[in-house]
Amino acid sequence: MIRRPLRPLARILRARAEGGNPDAIEAENKRLRHEEMRDRDRARAEGRLVVLGAMFFLAFASIGGRMGVLAASEAAEPTASAGGNPVIATRADIVDRNGRILATNLDTHSLYVHPREVVDAEAAKAGLAEIFPEMTPEELDGLFDTDRAFRWVRTEISPEQMQAVFEIGEPGLLFGPREMRLYPNGPVAAHILGGTKYGEQWVDMAEIEGTAGVEKHFDAYLRDPANEGAPLMLSIDLTVQSAVEEVLAGGMMLMNAKGASAVLMDAQTGEILSMVSLPDFDPNNRPVATMGDRADSPIFNRALQGLYELGSVFKIFPVAQALELGLVGPETMIDTQGPMRIGGFPIRDFRNYGPQLSTTDVIVKSSNIGTARLAIQIGAERQREFLRNLGLLEPTPVEMVEATTARPQFPADRNWGEASIGTISYGHGISSSPVHLAQAYATIVNGGTRVEATLLRRTGPVPGERVISERVSAIMRQMLRLVVSADHGTASFAEVPGYRVGGKTGTADKPDARGRYYDDKVIATFASVFPADDPQYVLVVSLDEPVETSGDLPRRTAGWTAVPVAAEIIRRAAPLLGLRPDMDSLRPTGVTLTAD
Amino acid sequence: MTEMVHGTVPVQTGDPVLPRWWRTIDKWTMSCVLILFGIGLLLGFAASPPLASKNGLEPFHYVIRQFAFGGMALMVMLALSMMSPVLVRRLAVIGFAASFAALALLPVFGTDFGKGAVRWYSLGFASIQPSEFLKPGFVVVAAWFMAASKELGGPPGKSWSFGMALVIVALLAMQPDFGQAALVLFAWGVMYFVAGAPMLLLLGLAGGAVAAGAVAYDQSEHFARRIDGFLTPDVDPRTQLGYATNAIREGGFFGTGVGEGTVKWSLPDAHTDFIIAVAAEEYGLVLVLVIIALYTTIVVRSLTRLMRERDPFIRLAGTGLACIVGVQAMINMGVAVRLLPAKGMTLPFVSYGGSSVIASGIAVGMLLAFTRTRPQGEIGDILLRRGRQG
């Protein structure tokens, strides 16, 4: 340490007195101070550089250490659970109203290949070609002759296939566990269930997502782990569904129809017990949408998505409304003299029923002119309001994704003129699905309260708003019963002993692509209720282009096609539904029990 | 050393350049750099063919390019290391000005190569990333300013250099390139630390950084997710990090063998940001430890030599240069072993990339020029002290 002079100027004063240069001394002082500062600075920097060096050394050492720890640990197989969102593997089952399984999961394996680990690609290709005959040589080449680290071979394989692949002995072929969606009943209820596909796929699991039907509509519910595997219970009755499918398929073949559908609904609650659309498919192997007309594809649900002009089955709506409004009574005579012209549009009956028919006979004989006259009295506004109350002008509330797109087609308000009033009264110029029709029939016959179709199990009736009175509903049931039971009724083939079937037929010409009607292609529909005096079930059967050829001339009307099929369905399904046939009204036939 | 023989036989002024260079250069650091460059080529043979085949080029296209760039980098390094500190400083100032202008003009003339950040100039046959060249230039200029502030009546160089750092950080953050921005800020911080930052300020800064991190964690979901992802023990195996970690594990101590690695096929950045994973997989922990030792040697040895340095400018500039090289290597490898959150950063000399390798050559060339043995006036000190005592 240099001791700082107490009097810094002393030296300068002395130097000045001795004739020296004070500036030099000043400069010397400055230099010394600078040097001192620099030394201090350097000492400090030295210390800090040591700190810095040590920090770097430690940092590098810890990286090296960490590398060592990592290198010593085992390499992990990639798993889906690490990072990202957890995936729920187990999808809830779907069961019918009695708890029988409609859709469940099955543990299986996927097959994938690590092309770079393959030892003998040619042998593996040959082996796989034998196990999976549907694989083309190009497909096999694509699997093995690639730079990719990974390729799926099959997303799900059977235990036998797995064993066979295992026996190829190729280390590059690997199996991953996974769950697949299984529909144990095959095509039964295929359209209702829809289908699933794999979403995100990993080696050790795959995400199942619904692609159609209930599977898609309830996708979130079925995946939700909060439900803890509680199954989704539908209103479908598996036994009835199966019986209806079988009978309908037979009927479709007998009637040479190209398609058919049936809806069986609880008239009080709106629960759909059975909904069938033919041709159908196996949801375990859901076909892709085909080219051509979508409405002819097996995956198309005719009962729910098919919008058709359903014809005379609509006649009960203007009649019920006219009764409700007090315009006519059941026995009021209505002018049915043809031909009739409204809005420049001729309306004819199937055959001439004479100058007058009672209201009941308008239904029983199915007079277009009679219903058109009633509808004209009702007017467009009230007709539209009534159809809306029956749910015929909006998509059905059925819990399937396809339901929302099935939007009935009908004229806009400003086009709903006299011609429309007339044609709509007998079911032309308005398109709706069989499910719509079943809903509307249930509303008319069940005492008059609005019914909303559902696929979910309901515990009791859900009273909807009143559409028609109890009285009118009872009259309508009598009329429907007469259509079947009267000798001259259009649906006399629908008589099923003991079940008191009532219903209404409808035979509608099909429009072609340009909107003109075919002469020889019809949609034949039968909408029925049973038992008519205690309405429990509504059944709508619809056949697409049926021809009944047992007679001299081909017959296409519903009375000859849809009605016998519906009767057979009721004969099979009613006992399954637990309905007691009313034996009191039956005359004993053949066997007489005597006791002596 | 001429002072020692002052007054005797007049000698030839300035002995031959090469022998003097060989005598005074830090041979250890230089050898480490050369070895690292060799390792880089070796790993390039392993890591870059997948990329080349993906881009439809010759398998060793990138190795050949790297060889060419590496040759240029080594020449630049040797040339710089022969220069005097003053000449280095002059060139660095010019280089800094040029690269700063290039950086500022990036938004106008730059290209993003479809990667979302405008960082490059495309020259057709090659691309240039100005921020790589800016770093060594900035370090030298900032060191000059700081050293100047040490003079009596010198300019307020610390504040000036800090202002410069902030402008550069702002420009880089705009691209955005937070990695380089952080590196520039870090280099300035290290130099300020060695230049004598007040202890109180250092503690304050440390506290501030912790507080800012906590606030960012609370406020920014993006930031929080990055940190959470870093803190979770499980790493998603489908990310680059997952592949890198797995590659290190696969490699074990002695590696899977030359050409046997698979990670290079799955990692898009195998030849740049994750080259250490390729090294670990094919050559094992042994090579990784060698690489780490080489970087450690470069940094620690340079810092040790700088401790003896009297000239504040040389000391600061050398510190800054050694630290940016070291920190870049540290971050790159720290990310691969998940000691640090994910951040793209090249491994100096080893990673593929023309800008990166030439800029590293410049930085180390300057460093070598600064760490050369030169008279530190120890005799003067001794004489002075004796004079004072006497």
Side-chain angles (χ1 to χ4, degrees), chain A residues 16-75:
Chain A
R16 196 176 278 171
E18 286 166 6
N21 184 0
D23 287 350
I25 295 168
E26 179 66 28
E28 168 72 8
N29 275 347
K30 221 173 180 177
R31 192 185 63 80
L32 285 175
R33 242 165 71 210
H34 189 220
E35 215 142 81
E36 185 196 337
M37 197 172 77
R38 206 177 57 181
D39 284 350
R40 207 172 50 227
D41 207 46
R42 188 176 153 203
R44 183 171 56 189
E46 229 166 84
R48 293 196 170 182
L49 280 171
V50 169
V51 171
L52 211 55
M55 269 161 50
F56 265 101
F57 183 80
L58 286 178
F60 278 120
S62 59
I63 288 171
R66 171 87 183 187
M67 280 276 185
V69 170
L70 272 183
S73 67
E74 275 300 305

Side-chain angles (χ1 to χ4, degrees), chain A residues 292-309:
Chain A
D293 193 354
R294 187 179 79 101
D296 289 335
S297 160
I299 59 172
F300 184 75
N301 185 349
R302 290 161 181 272
L304 183 67
Q305 292 171 281
L307 296 173
Y308 310 105
E309 291 179 287

Side-chain angles (χ1 to χ4, degrees), chain A residues 278-295:
Chain A
L278 296 175
D280 59 6
F281 61 93
D282 185 350
N284 292 306
N285 190 14
R286 188 181 166 87
V288 287
T290 46
M291 299 294 284
D293 193 354
R294 187 179 79 101

Side-chain angles (χ1 to χ4, degrees), chain A residues 34-35 37-38 41-42 45-46 48 50 52 56 59-60 63-64 66-67 70-71 73-74 76 116 202, chain B residues 150-151 190 193 196-197 199 238 246 249 252 265 292 296 307-308 310 315 319 323 326-327 330 337 384:
Chain A
H34 189 220
E35 215 142 81
M37 197 172 77
R38 206 177 57 181
D41 207 46
R42 188 176 153 203
E46 229 166 84
R48 293 196 170 182
V50 169
L52 211 55
F56 265 101
F60 278 120
I63 288 171
R66 171 87 183 187
M67 280 276 185
L70 272 183
S73 67
E74 275 300 305
R116 286 193 231 121
W202 292 276
Chain B
K150 303 249 177 227
E151 299 298 324
V190 165
F193 174 67
M199 226 42 190
R238 286 166 297 159
N246 228 20
R249 288 179 170 159
W265 298 93
I292 293 176
T296 316
M307 278 166 61
R308 295 203 307 254
R310 272 167 78 96
R315 192 165 61 218
T319 307
C323 286
V327 156
M330 204 172 83
V337 295
L384 192 68

Side-chain angles (χ1 to χ4, degrees), chain A residues 386-413:
Chain A
F386 190 68
L387 294 177
R388 178 159 290 132
N389 287 341
L390 290 172
L392 285 168
L393 302 187
E394 61 211 29
T396 55
V398 173
E399 295 86 354
M400 285 172 65
V401 280
E402 294 86 352
T404 50
T405 56
R407 188 171 285 281
Q409 289 172 4
F410 49 88
D413 286 3

Side-chain angles (χ1 to χ4, degrees), chain A residues 95-144:
Chain A
V95 297
D96 83 339
R97 64 190 296 114
N98 299 315
R100 285 172 292 201
I101 293 216
L102 296 175
T104 185
N105 304 311
L106 183 72
D107 286 333
T108 178
H109 285 87
S110 59
L111 174 62
Y112 57 96
V113 60
H114 282 176
R116 286 193 231 121
E117 292 167 16
V118 168
V119 175
D120 186 350
E122 293 311 316
K125 280 183 206 171
L128 283 184
E130 205 167 301
I131 299 163
F132 304 101
E134 70 278 12
M135 292 183 92
T136 60
E138 294 79 47
E139 199 180 338
L140 287 164
D141 290 345
L143 288 174
F144 290 96

